[in-house]
Amino acid sequence: LAHEIKNPLTPILLAAQQLQKKYAGDDPRFRKLLDDSSEIIEEEIDGLRRLVNEFSEFAKLPSAKLEDEDVVAFVADCLRRHEQFADTCSLEWDHRGSESAASALDRVLLQRVLVNLIENAAQAGASEEGGTRPSVLLRTAELGDRFQIEVLDRGPGVSETDRERIFDPYYTTKAMGTGLGLSIVKKIVLEHNGRISVHDGEEGGACFRIELPLKSAPSDRRPDFPAASSA
């Protein structure tokens, strides 16, 4: 369905652009109408493209291929690869615990999780802090048989009502959101035999918490995660 929707978008866009360029008249009112209509068409096509791309990615999301990795080194490498965070937020990484911790990871998919959560945190902080560059805290810790990753922002936070549904497909609190980003995040975390939840941050805003099993945990069971309001 996403493919069939996407196919006609390019010819629709080209037709609108051609109409705009071919008009050679001198009626200012019609020129404004033509320009405004073309702009609306382009914006709506961009929105549809983004929507169908996310639907397609969600449907074709591959299963995690887990390999033994040092999760601390993985986080460091992820931040090094995504230097663009420095342009959108003030990102701080606070790690507590051993300098290395072994876990079974799919580096590509778990990197997508971190990037998504950090980008969301930056957007949430920007909406609350106005023109200043938002602050985002990435906090990691080794807690017994699990590795905890938290992404904290200083945005408006997540209400109790939204926490119950925020990881559901197609549910979004953003005006331009599709409601698939956090659904994809949750699917990836679950395929790592982990869990994800959202809580209040200590300084306001939201705290998204991921807990992953460490290799020291018995392979035939998941860690005994503490109860949380949303999983």
Side-chain angles (χ1 to χ4, degrees):
L1 181 59
H3 179 73
E4 293 302 323
I5 293 173
K6 196 174 180 179
N7 277 343
L9 295 183
T10 296
I12 290 173
L13 178 61
L14 291 176
Q17 292 173 339
Q18 188 174 25
L19 283 173
Q20 185 183 27
K21 291 177 181 178
K22 289 295 183 180
Y23 176 66
D26 56 1
D27 185 338
R29 291 181 299 175
F30 185 74
R31 165 54 66 185
K32 184 177 186 308
L33 175 63
L34 194 59
D35 290 343
D36 290 346
S37 298
S38 297
E39 182 179 350
I40 291 171
I41 291 171
E42 289 187 28
E43 288 178 354
E44 293 299 327
I45 286 176
D46 285 342
L48 282 172
R49 277 181 174 156
R50 181 169 54 85
L51 189 67
V52 296
N53 282 338
E54 290 197 24
F55 286 163
S56 182
E57 287 182 18
F58 184 63
K60 296 187 295 184
L61 189 68
S63 298
K65 298 179 180 179
L66 305 180
E67 297 181 359
D68 292 352
E69 297 276 358
D70 179 350
V71 66
V72 180
F74 159 76
V75 173
D77 184 61
C78 180
L79 297 182
R80 184 171 60 251
R81 289 171 179 267
H82 292 274
E83 296 180 351
Q84 75 273 15
F85 292 142
D87 298 327
T88 58
C89 65
S90 176
L91 177 62
E92 178 186 353
W93 179 26
D94 176 21
H95 174 65
R96 300 176 185 180
S98 305
E99 294 184 359
S100 63
S103 184
L105 310 176
D106 183 317
R107 295 180 65 90
V108 173
L109 292 182
L110 196 60
Q111 181 174 254
R112 182 171 181 174
V113 168
L114 278 185
V115 170
N116 185 292
L117 292 180
I118 292 172
E119 288 179 346
N120 283 354
Q123 292 172 7
S127 67
E128 190 76 1
E129 298 179 34
T132 63
R133 194 163 65 154
S135 299
V136 177
L137 174 61
L138 174 63
R139 194 161 58 194
T140 56
E142 185 178 349
L143 303 175
D145 58 0
R146 65 189 185 276
F147 190 83
Q148 181 172 281
I149 302 172
E150 292 182 326
V151 180
L152 299 94
D153 63 60
R154 294 183 179 175
V158 180
S159 69
E160 291 289 343
T161 302
D162 289 334
R163 289 181 201 182
E164 298 299 323
R165 300 185 59 193
I166 198 168
F167 297 106
D168 292 348
Y170 315 123
Y171 182 79
T172 181
T173 59
K174 298 179 181 179
M176 299 296 293
T178 61
L180 289 175
L182 288 177
S183 299
I184 292 173
V185 164
K186 180 179 179 179
K187 184 178 187 298
I188 294 172
V189 171
L190 291 177
E191 292 208 356
H192 282 75
N193 297 315
R195 67 176 283 164
I196 183 169
S197 54
V198 59
H199 310 267
D200 291 328
E202 291 91 337
E203 299 181 9
C207 170
F208 283 83
R209 179 179 300 152
I210 296 171
E211 294 170 303
L212 302 173
L214 291 174
K215 292 300 290 184
S216 58
S219 59
D220 61 345
R221 69 175 182 85
R222 292 170 59 180
D224 295 325
F225 291 120
S229 60
S230 178

